Amino acid sequence: MAHNPNTTNSAEQEMEVLISRLTALSKLGLEMTRHCIDVTEAIPRVIRAQVDAQVDAILEGAANASVEPAPGPTWYSTPAPTPAQMEARYPPGINDDIPHYVVCIGRVPGLYTSSQDAEDQVRGVPDMSCRKKDTRAEGLRWYREQHTLGKTMRVSEVPPPASVASPSRHYVTLGTVNVSVRID
């Protein structure tokens, strides 16, 4: 069988073309790898610059701007029962000599024989007032003293009817603002 020199030449030329293409692709691959490395190294610098700019803006703005507090409940007050009403509500009885928890400023001012019941009336209430007394009579006496000093009131998160509301007392609880910045 005879060997055709044209076929060999053609195959060698085709091989050279393929090798030159592979060489070009390898160079492109190396160039892409270098670009990827450059970008990977640049990302932390760019992020750091952005974070620094944001922190600077916060610090500069904090000196000139006020921060709005997180919204909290609005508390409305209405007059608390008078000492006479309290005495009528809690007449002498079988629980006279056990400890009583007196709520002067809370959801429902009154005398409670359970600390949990009293706590339910003052939990979350701003400027709440609750005190443990040894007897019903001591509790009523303390309530009378607090009422005389103007330190008794019923509070609610729900606005009272306009005829009952006390415009001189309006409580608003403010939330907190926490700013945390971490720079590694």
Side-chain angles (χ1 to χ4, degrees), residues 20-88:
S20 70
R21 286 184 180 170
L22 281 174
T23 304
L25 283 174
S26 295
K27 288 178 182 177
L28 286 175
L30 287 173
E31 190 174 336
M32 287 178 59
T33 302
R34 277 191 228 111
H35 287 298
C36 287
I37 291 170
D38 291 345
V39 167
T40 303
E41 290 174 352
I43 287 174
R45 286 193 312 268
V46 171
I47 290 174
R48 174 67 181 231
Q50 289 176 343
V51 169
D52 287 347
Q54 289 176 354
V55 169
D56 289 344
I58 290 170
L59 295 176
E60 288 172 15
N64 301 324
S66 63
V67 177
E68 291 295 320
T74 300
W75 294 90
Y76 300 89
S77 65
T78 55
T82 65
Q85 291 170 323
M86 291 293 279
E87 288 175 9

Side-chain angles (χ1 to χ4, degrees), residues 110-121:
L111 273 63
Y112 297 88
T113 55
S114 157
S115 64
Q116 183 62 48
D117 291 343
E119 186 178 323
D120 290 344
Q121 301 308 315

Side-chain angles (χ1 to χ4, degrees), residues 36-178:
C36 287
I37 291 170
D38 291 345
V39 167
T40 303
E41 290 174 352
I43 287 174
R45 286 193 312 268
V46 171
I47 290 174
R48 174 67 181 231
Q50 289 176 343
V51 169
D52 287 347
Q54 289 176 354
V55 169
D56 289 344
I58 290 170
L59 295 176
E60 288 172 15
N64 301 324
S66 63
V67 177
E68 291 295 320
T74 300
W75 294 90
Y76 300 89
S77 65
T78 55
T82 65
Q85 291 170 323
M86 291 293 279
E87 288 175 9
R89 188 182 298 166
Y90 303 101
I94 56 174
N95 291 330
D96 288 348
D97 295 329
I98 64 171
H100 281 69
Y101 299 86
V102 186
V103 173
C104 289
I105 298 176
R107 290 177 181 84
V108 181
L111 273 63
Y112 297 88
T113 55
S114 157
S115 64
Q116 183 62 48
D117 291 343
E119 186 178 323
D120 290 344
Q121 301 308 315
V122 298
R123 185 179 299 113
V125 174
D127 301 325
M128 66 84 177
S129 175
C130 181
R131 180 89 42 97
K132 179 181 177 182
K133 294 296 178 178
D134 290 331
T135 66
R136 181 192 65 82
E138 286 179 27
L140 287 171
R141 189 175 318 112
W142 189 71
Y143 184 86
R144 180 179 291 107
E145 291 169 8
Q146 296 303 302
H147 189 77
T148 302
L149 296 170
K151 295 182 177 181
T152 60
M153 77 178 83
R154 179 187 311 264
V155 295
S156 171
E157 293 176 274
V158 178
S163 61
V164 181
S166 171
S168 63
R169 292 189 176 164
H170 182 217
Y171 289 86
V172 178
T173 59
L174 300 177
T176 58
V177 175
N178 293 319

